[in-house]
Amino acid sequence: MSHYNKHGLIKGISIIIAIVLVLGFCGAEKIYAGSETNSEMINEDTLEKLLEEADELLVKPDKAAAMEKFKQIVDSCDTVLQSNPDETLLWLANYYKGIALNELGQNGEAEACLKIAENIAKDLIDKRKSVNKKKQAKVYYYLGRIQMQKNDKVKAIEYVKKAFEIGQSNEYSYRLHMDPAFSPIRNTDEYYDLVDMLLMIDESISITTGIKVKDGTPMVECRDIAEPLGAQWIWDEAVKTITIKKFDKTIVMNIESKKAKVNGIEVSLKVAPFLYEKTHKNSDNKSFKIYVPIEFIAKELGQMVSRKDVKVDERYMAPAIVVREDYSRVKYTEEQKKWAVAPAVNIYKYNWGIYNVMGGHDRFCGYVSSSKSTLKKSWGIENREDFFRILEWLKKEGHTRSYRQMEQQLSGENLKLLQVAIDKGEEVPFIFKLYVKNKDKLKDKGLIAWDYCRIVQITGWSYVAGYITIEEAYDICMDACRVIQKTYSSWEDMAEHYIIGYEFWSEEDRNDESTQAYRRNKLNQELLKSKYSPFNTLPWDLNLDKIE
């Protein structure tokens, strides 16, 4: 039995009356009459193209031209509605006409059309016929929009929630944020139940969903704010306590309490941390997430916090809470800061990183985790003390010491014998051939490029991991950069010596295409040619002295 029959003839008659009313509006007022479009030429693609063109004109913005497009849509839909269309085309004509009429400010007629579209869609679904979910969601979005324009906020929110449920897309969240019709509820908790606030850390969007706004305060899962900032956090389920630690700062909070302690001193919170429980489908199991106030945590960990709209695609902006370092504490120019990380550009590019950012990437949970993992596995660095131990080793010894030991072993008669063996084509370990080939070039420099470029590399990762501060990171990198700048004559000279160091360390030949040395050298050549590379955007002889 159809949807109409289930509910009796009244519903069917009401739809017929609504259609007659809609046609009556157009016929009686003759607002957009006069279209000579042949109904056989009008289909879903025709109407969709007109709507897309109108939306594009609104974005430009060219409102007058957009209004003309919406009028064309109304005329085309009227032509279809007067041609005794089948059920599917009847639903589409009311869908497109309702949207166009709302954009034209004809809300009475628009609501009637959209209600018809809503009911026909339900009937089509009952008949197991296909209905475009995106369009069905848009019907509810526009019905919500109309209710907002009628100042019925409760009903508007109900409709928009239906749109979100059916559409299952961030598009409606972004659309709603850009829509002036919803400005009366903007920045309320109800608004942020509908609109996803983004968390932006440094210059990258860290999370796009999951922020909850309570009493005007953005809250997020503890791990999503603590971990990107390099802090450790501990959850004590027995007493419902969250502890966050970084450097000399310890923050202790209790679930549902507006009292917290920072280094033992009690402070007040605007909103208490809370648990968000979630029941999993087809299971009695429950999980919970620990929500904490973003701004409070970030500021206590030395970050700056602001709010702004950020661009998410060509059409839409979204509200974001932005967490970033206070770079006023870093006493270097923007160009100097780029120079400070440039010696690590080879490894950053190898890992698909960012050229001019400390650590090679903006901070987010995944990158913090991978930085910690790499530091632990490759360097034995698991904390601040480990970092400074390895830093001192690289500065005082590093692989330059190993090279100097080889230099002593292969001096005098040993060097002569080695040269003879190479000249005769005898089998000689690659590392010895490499030494003979580069000994004159490395006589005064050793493997400084290899050791000091890696100082920049691990310093960046240790900053991301939360082992050192941003000020410490730039100071350490800049000290290394001054040594590099003094030792070598150009970016090309430094890059060449870095690869020589890589060959000594890995015992791989850069000319062997199967090796990492080959790939690293290839990256260097690409960087030396790229106009976007710091090798070509930063002067080698830049003054690296700190600004006092």
Side-chain angles (χ1 to χ4, degrees):
M1 185 178 290
S2 76
H3 188 75
Y4 299 136
N5 291 333
K6 285 181 186 175
H7 302 286
L9 293 174
I10 294 175
K11 184 168 183 180
I13 293 169
S14 67
I15 293 175
I16 294 170
I17 292 171
I19 295 171
V20 172
L21 285 173
V22 173
L23 292 172
F25 280 130
C26 300
E29 298 181 23
K30 298 189 181 296
I31 300 173
Y32 312 119
S35 171
E36 297 180 358
T37 308
N38 186 335
S39 64
E40 293 180 0
M41 298 170 61
I42 302 170
N43 55 33
E44 183 176 0
D45 292 340
T46 309
L47 296 170
E48 187 64 31
K49 185 179 179 183
L50 284 171
L51 185 59
E52 287 174 358
E53 290 171 353
D55 284 345
E56 287 172 6
L57 289 167
L58 282 177
V59 172
K60 279 188 176 181
D62 187 346
K63 189 172 182 179
M67 293 304 107
E68 288 302 315
K69 286 290 181 184
F70 286 125
K71 289 177 184 180
Q72 286 182 33
I73 293 172
V74 173
D75 285 343
S76 297
C77 290
D78 282 343
T79 301
V80 171
L81 291 169
Q82 291 167 6
S83 67
N84 192 27
D86 63 24
E87 200 170 24
T88 300
L89 195 52
L90 181 64
W91 128 252
L92 289 169
N94 279 286
Y95 161 78
Y96 285 108
K97 185 175 179 181
I99 291 172
L101 286 169
N102 175 251
E103 295 289 356
L104 290 164
Q106 304 295 320
N107 283 345
E109 300 97 313
E111 186 173 12
C113 285
L114 291 168
K115 291 298 289 182
I116 292 169
E118 176 191 19
N119 288 324
I120 294 174
K122 289 177 181 177
D123 188 59
L124 288 169
I125 291 168
D126 282 347
K127 293 177 179 177
R128 300 186 182 281
K129 292 185 179 180
S130 176
V131 173
N132 184 298
K133 285 189 175 295
K134 188 174 180 180
K135 287 182 170 62
Q136 191 184 10
K138 207 166 185 178
V139 166
Y140 287 114
Y141 177 85
Y142 270 87
L143 284 170
R145 194 172 192 264
I146 290 167
Q147 299 310 311
M148 278 302 305
Q149 290 163 336
K150 291 165 66 174
N151 205 32
D152 189 342
K153 298 175 186 176
V154 174
K155 202 166 185 180
I157 290 171
E158 288 177 4
Y159 274 128
V160 173
K161 282 183 177 178
K162 283 185 180 179
F164 284 22
E165 288 170 6
I166 295 170
Q168 294 183 342
S169 168
N170 286 337
E171 178 187 346
Y172 292 104
S173 174
Y174 302 148
R175 180 187 285 270
L176 189 148
H177 183 63
M178 299 289 289
D179 194 336
F182 292 91
S183 58
I185 62 168
R186 189 153 294 162
N187 295 326
T188 63
D189 289 3
E190 292 82 2
Y191 178 76
Y192 287 115
D193 281 343
L194 301 170
V195 175
D196 288 323
M197 178 181 277
L198 313 181
L199 174 59
M200 194 170 185
I201 296 180
D202 301 325
E203 298 299 322
S204 295
I205 295 172
S206 182
I207 60 173
T208 57
T209 59
I211 290 181
K212 299 185 183 300
V213 178
K214 191 173 181 181
D215 297 335
T217 299
M219 312 285 284
V220 74
E221 274 194 80
C222 188
R223 71 181 298 269
D224 287 331
I225 187 63
E227 291 181 16
L229 302 185
Q232 294 178 304
W233 66 282
I234 302 166
W235 164 244
D236 188 333
E237 188 171 2
V239 292
K240 301 291 188 289
T241 298
I242 312 117
T243 302
I244 298 174
K245 294 182 178 181
K246 185 177 181 182
F247 302 137
D248 59 352
K249 186 69 66 76
T250 300
I251 305 165
V252 180
M253 297 172 290
N254 294 298
I255 296 299
E256 303 301 342
S257 173
K258 289 187 178 182
K259 297 295 182 182
K261 285 187 178 181
V262 178
N263 289 349
I265 300 172
E266 189 170 273
V267 296
S268 296
L269 303 174
K270 292 179 182 178
V271 176
F274 62 87
L275 295 180
Y276 176 74
E277 288 192 351
K278 182 178 180 181
T279 302
H280 299 280
K281 288 183 179 179
N282 305 318
S283 172
D284 294 331
N285 295 331
K286 290 184 178 181
S287 62
F288 62 85
K289 298 176 180 180
I290 305 159
Y291 275 77
V292 296
I294 296 172
E295 188 169 1
F296 171 73
I297 299 299
K299 286 186 174 180
E300 287 296 337
L301 295 179
Q303 306 295 297
M304 297 177 68
V305 182
S306 61
R307 296 195 196 186
K308 69 176 183 179
D309 282 355
V310 297
K311 194 170 185 178
V312 291
D313 60 28
E314 292 182 359
R315 295 187 58 189
Y316 296 122
M317 305 284 284
I321 183 163
V322 183
V323 175
R324 62 189 298 270
E325 290 282 9
D326 181 1
Y327 281 98
S328 67
R329 302 194 302 261
V330 178
K331 304 302 181 181
Y332 298 101
T333 67
E334 288 303 312
E335 200 169 31
Q336 286 176 324
K337 284 187 282 189
K338 292 176 183 177
W339 217 109
V341 298
V345 68
N346 185 286
I347 188 66
Y348 290 169
K349 183 173 173 63
Y350 182 77
N351 290 329
W352 302 96
I354 304 171
Y355 291 166
N356 57 0
V357 173
M358 180 60 70
H361 214 295
D362 292 327
R363 297 169 292 171
F364 63 92
C365 287
Y367 192 67
V368 171
S369 177
S370 66
S371 296
K372 287 183 174 180
S373 176
T374 300
L375 287 168
K376 180 180 178 180
K377 290 178 180 178
S378 301
W379 294 90
I381 297 174
E382 295 186 71
N383 51 48
R384 181 179 176 86
E385 291 72 26
D386 289 341
F387 165 74
F388 281 105
R389 174 176 53 80
I390 295 297
L391 174 64
E392 286 304 301
W393 174 77
L394 283 168
K395 288 163 68 175
K396 293 179 178 179
E397 298 183 19
H399 287 104
T400 293
R401 182 181 181 183
S402 302
Y403 174 78
R404 293 303 183 198
Q405 290 173 342
M406 180 184 295
E407 189 177 47
Q408 290 178 358
Q409 293 169 0
L410 297 177
S411 61
E413 191 63 29
N414 287 338
L415 180 60
K416 291 178 183 178
L417 292 172
L418 178 60
Q419 186 65 65
V420 170
I422 292 172
D423 291 343
K424 288 182 176 179
E426 295 177 8
E427 189 170 335
V428 174
F430 169 74
I431 195 76
F432 292 161
K433 287 193 269 187
L434 186 67
Y435 171 78
V436 171
K437 179 182 177 182
N438 293 286
K439 62 184 177 62
D440 293 337
K441 191 183 294 185
L442 300 178
K443 183 177 180 181
D444 298 325
K445 300 177 175 66
L447 302 182
I448 285 176
W450 173 240
D451 288 334
Y452 277 71
C453 286
R454 290 186 302 156
I455 285 176
V456 174
Q457 172 186 314
I458 67 165
T459 298
W461 288 340
S462 294
Y463 157 69
V464 170
Y467 302 152
I468 58 175
T469 68
I470 190 66
E471 302 99 300
E472 289 174 321
Y474 275 107
D475 283 343
I476 292 166
C477 285
M478 201 58 86
D479 286 343
C481 287
R482 292 188 194 102
V483 173
I484 291 169
Q485 190 186 56
K486 184 179 178 180
T487 305
Y488 303 100
S489 61
S490 65
W491 289 114
E492 186 173 10
D493 190 23
M494 181 207 77
E496 169 63 14
H497 278 78
Y498 174 84
I499 292 299
I500 293 172
Y502 189 94
E503 288 181 299
F504 269 103
W505 170 75
S506 65
E507 298 187 22
E508 293 178 351
D509 185 351
R510 74 176 79 181
N511 297 309
D512 181 349
E513 295 186 11
S514 68
T515 65
Q516 290 292 334
Y518 171 84
R519 285 186 275 277
R520 290 295 189 87
N521 185 54
K522 185 179 179 182
L523 284 177
N524 260 358
Q525 302 314 308
E526 291 172 1
L527 287 164
L528 288 165
K529 292 176 183 177
S530 171
K531 65 180 181 180
Y532 303 108
S533 163
F535 294 168
N536 292 308
T537 58
L538 296 171
W540 175 258
D541 58 355
L542 181 71
N543 184 349
L544 302 182
D545 292 338
K546 183 183 282 193
I547 301 169
E548 298 297 339

